[in-house]
């Protein structure tokens, strides 16, 4: 969980990540961020996800929990 | 009255004809009297394209152009051609920090090595008549513009335009012309696959002076110009079909 949160913090360009927030709540969130999260999931977690699915998570924590439970 | 854009009497190979731009090109060429050989990986969708072609005598050959044996099979089946349109291509958005050799190899294999090597083999096997026309579907991305996450895709398209110019020079003695069509965004299934949201697409259309994306047949018409005798003095050219996007 720590590792995934760190990767997300890097993409969102923040030092600390508030897991209760949604992706779109972050100031730096834009199309590059969403593509980066999708690319990171593919490269590091061998998982594919569409932009629509990504934005449907109610919080970063919910996203992380789901990704880690699906991790092969 | 002689129509310089007519394709009557010409036999044309179109790759990537199972869907999108390739499908539209094959259909529009058939309407102008061409005899088509169409190829694509998806047999069912390729056949659906074949069913929509006007006229008779068209041939469909399913296959993967990155596989050497399947390319050989296609080459053995081919009659002499007056034109090839290289449309088969893939796109994937990968921001530069996440590219890898694997992703580079994979996209270059389909978008660049396959069409270039197919062209070379066709010339070696004398499958292209003198005066034939080779058309590559490139993109504004690469040769002209850049878009977020499109580093690899753009590179493959820029490589095609560089190769086409040199092919134009090397093949001029055979009167074989080589040109590229550079579309902006085109309304095909590829753009609705999920990496860009529908809202983002609607917003993006506003940055086009003509306020919309191209219809696939509008790209086909540019290809038809290059395939026809109307472009008999045009070689090594890049024709941008982008609704004015690159003007701004």
């Amino acid at each position: 969980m720590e590792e995934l949160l760190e990767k997300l913090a890097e993409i969102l360009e923040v030092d600390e990540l508030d897991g209760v927030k949604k992706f779109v709540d972050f100031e730096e969130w834009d199309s590059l961020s969403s593509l980066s999260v999708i690319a990171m999931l593919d490269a590091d977690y061998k998982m594919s996800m569409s932009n629509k699915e990504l934005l449907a998570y109610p919080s970063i924590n919910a996203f992380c929990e789901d990704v880690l439970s699906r991790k092969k | 009255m002689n129509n310089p854009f007519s394709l009557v009497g010409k036999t044309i190979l179109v790759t990537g004809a199972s869907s999108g731009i390739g499908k539209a090109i094959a259909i529009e060429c058939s309407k102008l009297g061409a005899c088509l050989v169409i190829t694509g990986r998806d047999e069912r969708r390729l056949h659906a394209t074949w069913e929509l072609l006007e006229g008779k005598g068209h041939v469909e050959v399913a296959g993967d152009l990155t596989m050497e044996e399947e390319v050989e099979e296609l080459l053995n089946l081919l009659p002499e051609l007056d034109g090839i349109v290289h449309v088969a291509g893939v796109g994937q958005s990968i921001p530069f920090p996440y590219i890898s050799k694997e992703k580079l190899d994979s996209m270059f294999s389909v978008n660049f090595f396959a069409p270039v090597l197919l062209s070379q083999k066709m010339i070696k096997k004398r499958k292209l008549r003198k005066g034939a026309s080779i058309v590559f579907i490139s993109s504004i991305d690469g040769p002209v513009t850049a878009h977020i996450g499109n580093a690899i895709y753009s590179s493959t398209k820029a490589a095609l335009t560089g190769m086409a110019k040199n092919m134009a020079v090397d093949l001029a003695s055979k009167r074989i012309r080589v040109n590229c069509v550079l579309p902006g965004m085109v309304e095909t299934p590829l753009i609705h696959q999920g990496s860009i949201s529908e809202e983002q697409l609607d917003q993006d259309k506003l940055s086009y002076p003509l306020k919309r994306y191209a219809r696939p047949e509008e790209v086909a018409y540019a290809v038809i110009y290059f395939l026809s005798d109307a472009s008999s003095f045009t070689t090594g050219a890049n024709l941008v079909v982008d609704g004015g996007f690159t003007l701004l």
Side-chain angles (χ1 to χ4, degrees), chain B residues 132-206:
Chain B
S133 171
I134 301 177
V135 186
F136 291 102
I137 301 299
S138 171
S139 172
I140 50 172
D141 258 8
V144 192
T145 58
H147 279 84
I148 285 177
N150 255 3
I152 302 181
Y153 178 82
S154 298
S155 303
T156 67
K157 295 305 187 179
L160 280 179
T161 55
M163 176 60 72
K165 288 188 176 68
N166 285 276
M167 286 168 68
V169 165
D170 288 0
L171 299 175
S173 60
K174 298 185 194 333
R175 286 190 301 110
I176 293 174
R177 296 173 298 100
V178 188
N179 294 287
C180 295
V181 176
L182 280 57
M185 287 287 268
V186 184
E187 274 297 347
T188 70
L190 185 81
I191 68 171
H192 296 284
Q193 262 165 23
S195 57
I196 312 172
S197 74
E198 293 303 314
E199 296 76 37
Q200 283 171 321
L201 289 173
D202 286 336
Q203 191 61 35
D204 188 51
K205 285 175 193 177
L206 300 176

Side-chain angles (χ1 to χ4, degrees), chain B:
Chain B
M1 180 91 184
N2 184 39
N3 176 6
F5 295 91
S6 166
L7 298 179
V8 169
K10 293 192 193 289
T11 306
I12 313 278
L13 168 68
V14 179
T15 74
S18 311
S19 80
I21 296 174
K23 178 174 176 174
I25 289 170
I27 293 168
E28 297 304 320
C29 284
S30 74
K31 289 181 188 173
L32 279 160
C35 182
L36 276 312
V37 178
I38 56 171
T39 178
R41 287 175 306 172
D42 187 319
E43 205 167 331
R44 192 182 51 84
R45 288 189 300 154
L46 187 66
H47 186 69
T49 301
W50 183 86
E51 300 251 296
L52 292 168
L53 298 178
E54 284 189 19
K56 293 187 190 308
H58 309 298
V59 174
E60 52 180 314
V61 184
D64 184 338
L65 297 174
T66 61
M67 310 290 285
E68 214 170 313
E69 321 81 57
E70 297 188 41
V71 171
E72 282 305 313
E73 226 179 275
L74 172 67
L75 285 167
N76 292 333
L77 289 169
L78 284 175
E80 270 196 348
L81 300 173
D82 300 286
I84 325 171
V85 191
H86 294 291
V87 196
V90 292
Q92 195 186 355
S93 286
I94 307 173
F96 185 75
Y98 298 94
I99 70 168
S100 62
K101 180 144 197 313
E102 273 156 338
K103 297 282 187 192
L104 280 163
D105 284 342
S106 161
M107 236 188 282
F108 265 90
S109 175
V110 180
N111 290 7
F112 181 73
F113 289 109
V116 167
L117 292 171
L118 177 61
S119 302
Q120 181 269 332
K121 288 184 173 146
M122 290 184 67
I123 288 164
K124 270 295 192 159
K125 296 205 171 200
R126 300 174 192 279
K127 294 286 185 175
L128 279 177
R129 295 197 173 107
K130 282 207 158 52
S133 171
I134 301 177
V135 186
F136 291 102
I137 301 299
S138 171
S139 172
I140 50 172
D141 258 8
V144 192
T145 58
H147 279 84
I148 285 177
N150 255 3
I152 302 181
Y153 178 82
S154 298
S155 303
T156 67
K157 295 305 187 179
L160 280 179
T161 55
M163 176 60 72
K165 288 188 176 68
N166 285 276
M167 286 168 68
V169 165
D170 288 0
L171 299 175
S173 60
K174 298 185 194 333
R175 286 190 301 110
I176 293 174
R177 296 173 298 100
V178 188
N179 294 287
C180 295
V181 176
L182 280 57
M185 287 287 268
V186 184
E187 274 297 347
T188 70
L190 185 81
I191 68 171
H192 296 284
Q193 262 165 23
S195 57
I196 312 172
S197 74
E198 293 303 314
E199 296 76 37
Q200 283 171 321
L201 289 173
D202 286 336
Q203 191 61 35
D204 188 51
K205 285 175 193 177
L206 300 176
S207 53
Y208 284 67
L210 291 178
K211 302 287 182 233
R212 63 177 175 85
Y213 291 156
R215 292 185 290 270
E217 58 271 23
E218 290 171 324
V219 178
Y221 302 145
V223 172
I224 285 167
Y225 163 66
F226 283 135
L227 290 172
S228 70
D229 294 343
S231 60
S232 53
F233 203 60
T234 307
T235 194
N238 291 338
L239 180 51
V240 170
V241 180
D242 71 347
F245 181 84
T246 47
L247 296 171
L248 299 175

Side-chain angles (χ1 to χ4, degrees), chain A residues 28-43:
Chain A
E28 297 295 329
W29 183 258
D30 61 10
S31 54
L32 179 58
S33 325
S34 77
L35 287 173
S36 299
V37 174
I38 291 166
M40 181 270 292
L41 286 177
D42 184 30

